[in-house]
């Protein structure tokens, strides 16, 4: 399977679950695949399509994307085509003839075509081996993107009762999932759920102060890197795009109010690397499949965690490190609250308000953002291994917050524990709030007793008290803050408390040394230009020729022979033949001019590069104990931490290149062989599939520890 993967798709490794899904599909069994954006869903039907006798019919709602997908397949030498309303009658006839003659393996079609009698007749004449239903959530009214035409698929299932079906989506809510299974008759399908973690994405929340200046700095730090900036309103997108252009960047707006032709060309320019930045409302996204978006910036607050996750998901589909930055100030929520108050339906209004609240909570976190996001979607994640959010990368400083906490709590108690965060904070800061005066709360002793913290600081502290369970929110709609039993104890016992202080960072600090980071920037730029010229010539988007990872590897290893070039990620047989000579020649010229040696391209073990991780004092403490040859359990108990945490420390130490000898922790040969086989079978380095395979035999920590030894 790996050879086949390299030959036809140019990849060295499967992403998590791809191998299992592919085997299952080739065995003609139904499957339902839940994978995040960028997880690699397409390969799950493209690979089997080549292995199965007839045609794989792919149903996709995104007509605009079909061409790019088919171009990408054809660039790999795979016979693929699409049939949709953008083609002429004659073109469609030609494709149907080709299909009847067995010259097409993968055929894309939009759902509305399925009810056309002539299309059905055509389908009956060819051998359909597999039915792939992309964006399967479109069949559900509960999803965010319901398409009535998707209901036609039921009929298609009846038309081909014995053809295996594969439904794929990145939308994971339970309700939608059940709906898809019911509608598509997938009760017997095996369900594959992969982790929604995106290890190559960094999440950061920056204060909204001077957000424009910060934005400019970010773009200066990321020259030529594709970025999507999300704004609140259509007007915002236009004015920001204009400002950015005046600043010298190439930016275009995108929103549902633009003429469809303008929308199409703006999107096209972005996909073809002719503009760097798209400034969009959330309308932008469904139709875009650009794998090398390096930055997703929320200039204004998103409406919900779901929306935020989906929008940030558009960054780094190709697996290279990419950043998701959100600008936040509490004042920004007022605008949204204003719109929420206009919603007439009470249930919808409350729902919107709750979603916004959750978003605010995310922005005001003092703990790992990735863990929080994943927990929101029902997944556990060890915070210690994140290393890719602003909190983990530069943890906020801790302060003695005993007195300020007491002040906040007494303000709550004095006002009867009925008021929300803003009211309590206004009271403490002595704000001339009309409601405070009306209620005569300005006469209370707590009025105006805080002058050493800002409003934002106080919100940050309050949110930590909430997440630590010292205070709670009661009621829906306008929830009031209340002391929890633990909060009461805290006050009564006069305990001390340490909390994190709001950071005043204005710039993202980045761990350097990412995978392929040492590549030659100048050569990379040259190759990018070459790629663009070829792409324009062939009228395809640049990523169809080669992805950024491939170019970075070329600029790092300078491969000049066909053999070495073929080892680059993304170079399969067809691309080697088509582009190999052009690229190796360009590389050779550059290498000679600059007197640089060619290096052998190593074959990658892991397909998704991880970010390098910063070491903290806690890791160094663990390192000391490892030097004393203590077991993981001993270290854990001496340090009062869990074994899982210690295992995570070891992993971090190794990935940061620390000099430690872990040999004594290596599992017995017999156990190691079992674990190694399971990892190989899983086709990736993720723990959960391996644990599922091995069952109770090994603990999570044992697997994690063993994984460290797989790399050599
Ligand atoms: P999804 O549909 O789940 O969002 P795609 O199928 O578009 O994801 O894949 C995302 C990106 O990952 C694409 O650029 C694709 O070429 C790449 N990709 C998929 N599988 C692999 C793999 N096994 N190794 C390397 N890259 C892969
Ligand atoms: Zn984190």
């Amino acid at each position: 399977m790996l050879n086949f993967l390299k030959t036809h798709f140019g990849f060295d490794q499967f992403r998590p679950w791809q191998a299992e899904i592919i085997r299952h599909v080739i065995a003609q069994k139904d499957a339902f695949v839940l994978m995040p954006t960028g997880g690699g869903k397409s390969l799950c039907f493209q690979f089997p399509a080549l292995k199965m006798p007839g045609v794989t019919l792919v149903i996709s709602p995104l007509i605009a994307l079909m061409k790019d997908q088919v171009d990408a397949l054809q660039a790999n030498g795979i016979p693929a085509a699409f049939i949709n309303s953008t083609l002429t009658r004659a073109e469609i006839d030609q494709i149907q003839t080709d299909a009847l003659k067995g010259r097409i393996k993968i055929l894309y079609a939009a759902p509305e075509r399925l009810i056309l009698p002539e299309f059905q007749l055509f389908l009956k004449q060819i051998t359909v081996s597999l039915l792939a239903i992309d964006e399967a959530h479109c069949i559900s009214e509960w999803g965010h993107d319901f398409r009535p035409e998707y209901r036609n698929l039921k009929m298609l299932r009846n038309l081909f009762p014995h053809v295996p079906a594969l439904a794929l989506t990145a939308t994971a809510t339970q309700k939608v999932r059940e709906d898809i299974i019911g509608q598509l008759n997938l009760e017997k399908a095996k369900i594959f759920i992969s982790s929604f973690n995106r290890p190559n994405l960094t999440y950061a929340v920056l204060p909204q102060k001077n957000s424009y200046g910060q934005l400019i700095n970010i773009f200066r730090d990321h020259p030529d890197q594709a970025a999507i900036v999300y704004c609140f309103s259509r007007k915002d997108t236009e004015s920001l795009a204009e400002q950015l252009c005046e600043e010298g960047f190439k930016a275009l707006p995108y929103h549902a109010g633009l003429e469809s032709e303008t929308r199409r060309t703006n999107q096209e320019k972005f996909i073809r690397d002719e503009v760097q930045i798209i400034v969009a409302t959330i309308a932008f996204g469904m139709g875009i499949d650009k794998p090398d978006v390096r930055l997703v910036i929320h200039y204004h607050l998103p409406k919900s965690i779901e929306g935020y996750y989906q929008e940030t998901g558009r960054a780094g589909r190709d697996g290279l490190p990419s950043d998701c930055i959100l600008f936040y100030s509490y004042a920004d929520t007022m605008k949204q609250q204003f719109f929420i108050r206009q919603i007439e339906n009470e249930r919808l209004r409350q729902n919107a308000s709750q979603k916004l609240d959750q978003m605010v909570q995310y922005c005001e976190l003092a703990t790992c953002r990735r863990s929080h996001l994943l927990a929101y979607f029902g997944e556990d994640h060890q915070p210690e291994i994140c290393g890719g959010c602003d909190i983990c990368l530069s943890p906020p400083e801790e302060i003695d917050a005993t007195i300020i906490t007491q002040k906040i709590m007494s303000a709550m108690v004095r006002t009867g524990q009925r008021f929300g965060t803003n009211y309590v904070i206004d009271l403490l800061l002595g704000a001339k709030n009309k409601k405070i005066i009306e209620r005569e709360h300005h006469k209370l002793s707590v009025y105006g007793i805080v002058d050493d913290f800002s409003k934002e600081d106080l919100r940050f502290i309050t949110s930590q008290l909430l997440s630590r369970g010292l205070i709670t929110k009661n009621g829906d709609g306008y929830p009031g803050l209340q002391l929890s039993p633990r909060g009461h104890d805290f006050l009564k016992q006069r305990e001390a408390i340490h909390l994190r202080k709001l950071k005043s960072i204005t710039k993202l600090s980045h761990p350097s040394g990412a995978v392929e980071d040492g590549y030659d920037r100048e050569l990379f730029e040259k190759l990018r230009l070459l790629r663009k010229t070829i792409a324009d010539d062939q009228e395809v988007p640049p990523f169809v020729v080669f992805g950024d990872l491939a170019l970075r590897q070329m600029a790092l290893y300078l491969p000049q022979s066909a053999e070495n070039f073929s080892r680059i990620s993304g170079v399969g047989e067809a691309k080697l033949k088509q582009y190999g000579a052009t690229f190796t020649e360009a590389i050779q010229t550059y290498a000679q001019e600059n007197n640089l040696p060619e290096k052998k391209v190593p074959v990658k073990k892991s397909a998704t590069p991880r970010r390098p991780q910063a070491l903290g004092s806690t890791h160094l403490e663990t390192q000391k104990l490892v030097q004393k040859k203590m077991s993981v359990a001993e270290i854990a108990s001496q340090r009062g931490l869990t074994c899982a945490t210690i295992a995570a420390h070891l992993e971090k130490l190794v990935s940061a290149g620390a000099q430690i000898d872990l040999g004594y922790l290596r599992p017995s040969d017999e156990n190691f062989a079992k674990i190694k086989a399971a990892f190989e079978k899983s086709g990736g380095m993720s723990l959960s599939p391996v644990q599922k395979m091995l069952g109770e035999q090994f603990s999570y920590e044992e697997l994690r520890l063993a994984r460290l030894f797989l790399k050599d």
Side-chain angles (χ1 to χ4, degrees), residues 6 14 58 103 128 132 155 233-234 236 249 251 260 285 300 302 336 348 357 391 533 545 554 560 594 599 609 667 706:
K6 179 67 188 165
F14 286 104
V58 187
R103 289 198 210 119
V128 178
M155 180 213 58
S233 72
R234 296 174 181 182
D236 294 334
F249 297 101
S260 68
H300 298 126
Q336 301 220 6
L348 292 179
D357 234 35
I391 306 279
T533 318
V545 178
M554 292 177 207
Q560 292 156 45
N594 295 280
K599 285 171 252 172

Side-chain angles (χ1 to χ4, degrees), residues 451-462:
D451 57 10
D452 46 351
F453 288 92
S454 71
K455 187 166 182 155
E456 306 279 322
D457 289 335
L458 289 176
R459 289 196 58 87
F460 191 57
I461 288 173
T462 311

Side-chain angles (χ1 to χ4, degrees), residues 223-241:
D224 286 329
Q225 301 196 346
I228 306 175
V229 183
Y230 284 109
C231 289
F232 185 69
S233 72
R234 296 174 181 182
K235 218 175 83 221
D236 294 334
T237 68
E238 292 183 10
S239 59
L240 184 60

Side-chain angles (χ1 to χ4, degrees), residues 305-413:
I305 301 255
E306 287 92 344
Y308 174 68
Y309 202 66
Q310 203 163 38
E311 285 138 33
T312 53
R314 294 177 186 134
R317 276 172 175 238
D318 57 7
L320 286 175
S322 307
D323 296 317
C324 310
I325 297 169
L326 189 161
F327 288 108
Y328 169 74
S329 79
Y330 187 71
D332 206 22
T333 62
M334 304 297 175
K335 232 180 342 191
Q336 301 220 6
Q337 277 167 358
F338 173 80
F339 283 99
I340 290 174
R341 280 197 294 274
Q342 326 282 313
I343 301 176
E344 277 179 17
N345 179 313
E346 182 173 338
R347 200 174 53 86
L348 292 179
R349 188 174 59 241
Q350 276 187 4
N351 188 37
S353 157
Q354 191 194 3
K355 299 269 179 217
L356 182 62
D357 234 35
Q358 289 165 339
M359 203 56 236
V360 169
Q361 195 195 347
Y362 170 82
C363 294
E364 296 183 348
L365 279 178
T367 51
C368 177
R369 297 197 202 275
R370 182 186 311 273
S371 305
H372 186 88
L373 286 173
L374 290 172
Y376 184 90
F377 295 109
E379 228 180 280
D380 270 345
H381 187 264
Q382 286 283 328
E384 287 91 345
I385 61 166
C386 167
C389 77
D390 55 325
I391 306 279
C392 291
L393 287 169
S394 60
E397 189 192 332
E398 292 221 326
I399 52 162
D400 182 345
T402 312
I403 291 178
I404 188 67
T405 303
Q406 287 168 352
K407 285 181 181 171
I408 293 172
M409 288 182 167
S410 51
M412 286 163 48
V413 172

Side-chain angles (χ1 to χ4, degrees), residues 13 200 261 280 306 316 371 379 422 442 622:
Q13 282 285 314
N200 61 315
E261 183 55 24
E306 287 92 344
S371 305
E379 228 180 280
N422 281 321
H442 63 298
T622 296

